[in-house]
Amino acid sequence: MEDERSGLLSLTDIRALANELNKRPTKTLGQNFVHDAGTVRRIVREAGIGPEDAVLEIGPGLGSLTLALLETGATVSAVEIDPVLAAALPATVDAHMPDASSRFAVQLMDAMQVAGVEDLASPSSSKKPFVPNKLVANLPYNVAVPILLTLLEALPSLDEALVMVQAEVADRLAAGPGSRTYGVPSLKAAWYADVERGSKVARTVFWPVPNVDSALVSLVRHPRLTDTPREKVFAVIDAAFSQRRKTLRAALGNWAGSGVEAEAILLRAGISPKARGEQLTVEDFIAIADAAQSFT
């Protein structure tokens, strides 16, 4: 039965919608639909969504989280890669929460292709273009990190994000220096925001039930750390972790031109050539990129 208080989707509703659309969830698109009202309400509550928010949702699927977001009075613009689901979403919103229809719009596209607010659909009740201040999403497991980094770069108006991802990915995003799970995702996320791992989400709230655990991750954007171009800093990060077990002198050899040049750059940056990438903060990598610039 549908949640009687608000029209949120139940497992019965989800299955009925999927059957009506002749839609079978695909692993390729990471389609695991949340059907528990308590879970989507908890996500929305932890994201601090209210009537004043302009929310971007990625991969809304059949609309479970979408309806919970709209329930708060927020305006929601969704990006959906599946044409069948994208076409069905407005009708689902209208059927379950008709008063919210003017506060919702969906754009059929790959979230990895979002280059700015001009790519987002604008609900009829909002200004054009739609400028989101929050991101709330159940991200596909296999592309969660690149989607998140793409959106943080393309949409500087996003001040906060709360996303549900594979638990292992959540650990990587929120890890700190020295941690076993610290690496490229941790550092690149830290370039944009302060990241915290949230609570686990039970497998049983999804249909179909996934074979991995999920967890929430919170990101709060911080002021830009430096004027150094992002591409230059990310290039150092990628090089440092391409050979994770090697010292930075060895790992950065190809990037710098040679091990000798890498050592000189590291010493100028105040970093030990014997250190490894997982010991460094994003500020350390900025210092390395800056030191490299002074050699050119």
Side-chain angles (χ1 to χ4, degrees):
M1 248 180 106
E2 155 191 328
D3 186 299
E4 303 214 353
R5 289 175 296 163
S6 66
L8 298 192
L9 299 179
S10 68
L11 177 56
T12 301
D13 296 320
I14 291 287
R15 285 176 168 165
L17 271 170
N19 186 60
E20 181 183 331
L21 298 171
N22 195 26
K23 188 69 191 173
R24 292 184 178 179
T26 68
K27 288 185 178 180
T28 306
L29 297 179
Q31 291 174 333
N32 296 93
F33 306 124
V34 185
H35 59 75
D36 180 65
T39 297
V40 290
R41 282 199 178 101
R42 174 163 63 91
I43 292 170
V44 170
R45 184 171 60 251
E46 291 189 19
I49 304 301
E52 72 286 353
D53 287 314
V55 183
L56 172 63
E57 184 187 7
I58 302 301
L62 291 167
S64 299
L65 181 57
T66 308
L67 291 171
L69 289 165
L70 290 169
E71 185 180 49
T72 68
T75 305
V76 179
S77 178
V79 173
E80 175 57 60
I81 194 172
D82 188 312
V84 174
L85 297 181
L89 268 167
T92 299
V93 171
D94 192 50
H96 290 264
M97 209 170 289
D99 291 346
S101 294
S102 65
R103 292 186 280 109
F104 175 73
V106 58
Q107 180 68 44
L108 172 63
M109 72 179 301
D110 183 346
M112 292 286 291
Q113 302 303 314
V114 173
V117 294
E118 64 277 4
D119 290 323
L120 305 179
S122 294
S124 60
S125 66
S126 70
K127 296 178 181 179
K128 294 185 179 182
F130 179 80
V131 181
N133 68 308
K134 291 184 178 180
L135 167 67
V136 182
N138 171 22
L139 293 178
Y141 293 151
N142 55 340
V143 289
V145 172
I147 285 177
L148 191 55
L149 296 176
T150 294
L151 296 173
L152 287 170
E153 178 63 24
L155 302 170
S157 63
L158 287 174
D159 296 323
E160 298 179 30
L162 185 71
V163 295
M164 183 159 53
V165 295
Q166 185 177 342
E168 182 182 338
V169 173
D171 291 338
R172 289 176 182 173
L173 284 167
S179 165
R180 179 180 57 83
T181 52
Y182 185 69
V184 173
S186 326
L187 281 155
K188 291 185 177 180
W191 169 268
Y192 297 102
D194 298 321
V195 187
E196 288 189 10
R197 188 192 188 283
S199 56
K200 271 191 174 184
V201 179
R203 300 184 187 191
T204 53
V205 305
F206 295 95
W207 178 77
V209 177
N211 57 7
V212 295
D213 292 320
S214 300
L216 299 177
V217 178
S218 167
L219 300 97
V220 178
R221 192 186 290 269
H222 52 56
R224 187 176 174 89
L225 298 173
T226 178
D227 290 330
T228 307
R230 173 185 60 93
E231 294 79 6
K232 292 188 179 298
V233 179
F234 281 17
V236 186
I237 293 171
D238 288 335
F241 285 90
S242 64
Q243 303 178 77
R244 186 182 182 108
R245 296 182 180 179
K246 293 192 175 184
T247 64
L248 285 170
R249 184 190 190 279
L252 297 180
N254 288 337
W255 165 80
S258 70
V260 172
E261 290 178 277
E263 180 168 346
I265 291 170
L266 287 163
L267 290 173
R268 176 165 289 192
I271 307 293
S272 169
K274 295 181 180 179
R276 288 178 168 78
E278 64 261 28
Q279 298 171 278
L280 273 56
T281 65
V282 68
E283 288 82 3
D284 292 329
F285 280 101
I286 291 170
I288 295 170
D290 288 342
Q293 286 287 95
S294 67
F295 274 80
T296 58

